[in-house]
Amino acid sequence: MNTRIYLSSPHMGGTERAYVTEAFDTNWIAPLGPNVQGFEEQLEAYLGEEKHVASLSSGTAALHLALILLGVGAGDEVICQSFTFSASANPIVYQGATPIFVDSEWDTWNMSPDYLEEAIMDRIAKGKKPKAIIAVHLYGMPYKVEEINAIAKKYDIPIVEDSAEALGSTYKGRSCGTFGDLSILSFNGNKIITTSGGGAIVTNSLEMKEKAVFLSTQARDDAPHYQHSSIGYNYRMSNVCAGIGRGQMEVLDDHIALRRKNNAFYAEIFENTNGISVLKEGSSDYFSNHWLSCILVDPKKSSTTAKAIRLTLATDNIESRPLWKPMHLQPVFKEAPYYGAKVSEELFKNGLCLPSGSNLSDEERTRITTILSQFN
Ligand SMILES: *Cc1c(COP(=O)(O)O)cnc(C)c1O
């Protein structure tokens, strides 16, 4: 059996180990220390826009804290893109709130501005104004930032920008991760850079960052003993993990270039294939890190299916995966209201994520080409 080709696996740049060793040598093995601060400074410099970053134990923790900081509580409603990973929506339920799911549009596969507005108007008519909007840049593709922001502004609802998959992507030259009232990043093992497990919350003010750090370190009041006036969480990133992050930041732009090269590689394979398209930016306003490269098979034009491609890749031990199953179709969210048509459902039915790691070798690309050329 050939060695396995993964969808997206960790890719170290080389200096990560030195930062981790330094953490050991100086005995900073805690959820604070020079790597935590150094990593946050790198992220702030990278994102620009005078943002403040608090590094946390995961992207999910960052989403949870974002909802807490926005005051989401029991009985509230929060709008969320349906076509996403469950981690975008679960923190709504952690807070005792109800998710209201919204469909995607075909250009970016992300939240449809039209259905977003329909959902907001209908929820208000039913008596409850949504407390927040969670919009996601899936697979690294920026959502329709201007349209979504305009609607959020019109109804005065804050945006939580889930940029877990989109570090390094930009919209009109501005970084994803800077468009929300609060934004989040993930450094899970499969993401464009990893701290083995980690995330961050991006805020507009130092005060908000400090609140996030406070809540993420058990909400200790300023007293010599342990005193608590609010409920805290153990969500801070460790100095060991942040050391990996510091090294990864040094190679982030290289990783983006390599993932974009993968996308161009798949675009070329399917260039003349009727009924199979690769997700690409719709205009020069959009710049995707192409975290994952995805295809869509049009059942009306193609003689094959996403499933057939997936199973054929598997015969050579090559991993591929259906696109995210929409949240409104998940058993756990079956009672949640949904606004939209069938866009996310069709994406799920006919789409496929292909191996997209920044560490994909030429030899692996040759194996992938051999399989995929059977379908074009
Ligand atoms: C990975 C991911 C998350 C969660 O991040 P973790 O660091 O794994 O907790 C949230 N949203 C999206 C869209 C993701 O892909």
Side-chain angles (χ1 to χ4, degrees):
M1 191 61 142
N2 269 326
T3 52
R4 185 144 177 87
I5 301 178
Y6 292 99
L7 212 55
S8 178
S9 66
H11 183 193
M12 294 298 107
T15 62
E16 294 84 357
R17 201 191 292 260
Y19 289 108
V20 172
T21 302
E22 193 181 307
F24 275 79
D25 289 347
T26 54
N27 205 30
W28 281 109
I29 314 292
L32 78 166
N35 283 337
V36 172
Q37 197 188 333
F39 184 43
E40 288 173 352
E41 283 168 4
Q42 280 172 307
L43 286 165
E44 285 165 3
Y46 190 86
L47 293 172
E49 316 275 337
E50 297 181 8
K51 295 284 174 173
H52 300 267
V53 174
S55 50
L56 301 170
S57 54
S58 70
T60 311
L63 282 159
H64 190 194
L65 285 188
L67 296 182
I68 292 166
L69 289 168
L70 292 172
V72 172
D76 287 335
E77 294 186 346
V78 174
I79 290 181
C80 184
Q81 185 166 318
S82 183
F83 187 56
T84 187
F85 178 42
S86 65
S88 304
N90 286 340
I92 302 170
V93 181
Y94 300 166
Q95 284 307 96
T98 303
I100 309 291
F101 291 115
V102 167
D103 202 2
S104 291
E105 39 78 13
W106 287 111
D107 298 336
T108 71
W109 298 2
N110 293 313
M111 186 180 272
S112 152
D114 293 342
Y115 288 118
L116 170 62
E117 186 157 26
E118 184 186 312
I120 294 171
M121 289 194 302
D122 190 57
R123 298 324 290 177
I124 291 173
K126 287 189 163 75
K128 225 177 239 182
K129 184 170 136 179
K131 259 299 205 13
I133 298 162
I134 301 174
V136 192
H137 309 291
L138 273 190
Y139 306 119
M141 184 63 71
Y143 57 72
K144 293 193 166 174
V145 173
E146 271 172 13
E147 288 93 328
I148 301 282
N149 276 359
I151 294 165
K153 202 166 167 198
K154 179 171 167 190
Y155 294 92
D156 193 26
I157 303 172
I159 292 183
V160 175
E161 178 193 13
D162 182 344
S163 197
E165 301 177 2
L167 179 60
S169 298
T170 64
Y171 175 79
K172 291 196 173 174
R174 294 176 54 195
S175 297
C176 288
T178 66
F179 298 118
D181 292 86
L182 289 164
S183 305
I184 74 99
L185 303 169
S186 167
F187 315 111
N188 196 29
N190 58 347
K191 299 288 157 61
I192 194 146
I193 62 164
T194 183
T195 57
S196 87
I201 188 164
V202 185
T203 70
N204 292 321
S205 69
L206 186 57
E207 192 194 349
M208 197 57 117
K209 171 186 165 164
E210 283 168 352
K211 267 191 200 168
V213 170
F214 172 75
L215 291 172
S216 73
T217 49
Q218 308 286 22
R220 275 186 73 185
D221 294 343
D222 190 12
H225 54 275
Y226 278 83
Q227 168 138 328
H228 306 275
S229 313
S230 34
I231 293 293
Y233 301 85
N234 185 2
Y235 279 175
R236 195 74 164 126
M237 179 180 281
S238 94
N239 195 56
V240 176
C241 293
I244 304 174
R246 286 179 89 177
Q248 289 272 277
M249 282 304 287
E250 294 171 10
V251 291
L252 172 57
D253 282 331
D254 294 340
H255 285 195
I256 294 166
L258 290 163
R259 298 231 179 207
R260 288 180 58 82
K261 199 175 128 194
N262 290 335
N263 191 264
F265 158 73
Y266 289 118
E268 197 185 321
I269 290 181
F270 293 114
E271 195 177 9
N272 299 312
T273 309
N274 209 14
I276 299 182
S277 55
V278 177
L279 177 63
K280 295 191 77 67
E281 296 103 337
S283 81
S284 59
D285 290 345
Y286 296 82
F287 178 89
S288 173
N289 66 12
H290 286 306
W291 170 59
L292 293 187
S293 283
C294 309
I295 55 170
L296 197 61
V297 182
D298 182 342
K300 291 193 205 80
K301 291 188 191 149
S302 179
S303 53
T304 188
T305 62
K307 187 178 173 189
I309 298 173
R310 177 168 60 81
L311 294 177
T312 311
L313 285 164
T315 61
D316 192 36
N317 207 13
I318 301 170
E319 184 181 27
S320 65
R321 195 177 297 153
L323 303 185
W324 299 119
K325 180 171 182 174
M327 290 303 113
H328 71 278
L329 299 182
Q330 298 287 354
V332 75
F333 291 126
K334 64 179 188 295
E335 308 295 338
Y338 171 68
Y339 295 84
K342 300 271 179 199
V343 177
S344 56
E345 294 179 26
E346 288 193 29
L347 288 167
F348 171 58
K349 202 160 65 186
N350 300 313
L352 196 66
C353 303
L354 298 171
S356 303
S358 44
N359 47 5
L360 216 57
S361 68
D362 286 338
E363 184 208 335
E364 288 173 326
R365 261 188 285 272
T366 304
R367 278 172 58 196
I368 294 167
T369 306
T370 305
I371 302 279
L372 292 183
S373 55
Q374 300 171 31
F375 295 96
N376 64 10

